[in-house]
Amino acid sequence: MSCRAAILISGSGTNLQAFIDAVAAGSLELDLCVVFSNNPNAFGLQRAEKAGIPTACIEHGDFSDRESFDRAVIEELDRWNPELLILAGFMRILSPTFVKHYEGKVLNIHPALLPKYPGLNTHQRVLDAGDKWHGSTVHFVTEELDGGPRILAGRLRVDPNETAEELLHRVQTIEHQVYPEAAGLVGSGRVAFNDGQAWIDGKVADEPIVRTFP
Ligand code: GRF
């Protein structure tokens, strides 16, 4: 039985599409049980419907605070019994209640080589700093924003002449490979969250697995 995974989106869902394609191609063993969005206009919902995956949507604007929205999301998601929650461009900060409820089960991808550049606008910050390497990191979600234990990072060389927009596109392309790979490792049990740390093949992982791309 493959691991039941819910994917949470707010927008275009190119990462969601990468998961759909990897499962269809047989290179990823996950049961994509539901795609959830806080935005009814998220294009990713259409991608899910086209792939025959159930969808659910709760608009955060209908709630007066984060806590009550998150409680409603928990109630909805729990109906699908997910073993793994995959944040794929889900543009809501999760409350401690949500993080605790799904401790060790939530993955995020952040477009930077964490711990560098948590937060927004990462591509421009990398260019401004003159960094040689940039990329994207898959990590377990904890209460610290973009700060949970890292699992797998995809990296590429920065061309100092490229724009932030060009860099964003290159990083997104590698995300579509590293995110399904990382989720597959968690789904199969090779990577786990325990005692606040990531474990890879039974050993505490101080550093993530790193893939280098052209
Ligand atoms: C990705 O670039 C990811 O790094 C960030 O949100 C973006 C989602 O893009 N967390 P998409 O909706 O999957 O195209």
Side-chain angles (χ1 to χ4, degrees), residues 11-16 88-89 91 108-111 136 172 175-176:
S12 135
T14 63
N15 278 284
L16 163 65
M91 302 306 285
N108 183 42
I109 188 159
H110 179 73
S136 208
Q172 278 195 335
E175 288 188 338
H176 300 158

Side-chain angles (χ1 to χ4, degrees), residues 14-23 27-30 84 86 107 109 138 152 173-187:
T14 63
N15 278 284
L16 163 65
Q17 190 64 52
F19 277 91
I20 292 170
D21 294 346
V23 169
S27 56
L28 173 66
E29 212 184 294
L30 278 185
L84 191 61
I86 296 168
L107 304 184
I109 188 159
V138 181
L152 196 152
T173 307
I174 68 176
E175 288 188 338
H176 300 158
Q177 297 180 56
V178 296
Y179 208 1
E181 181 186 356
L185 290 171
V186 179

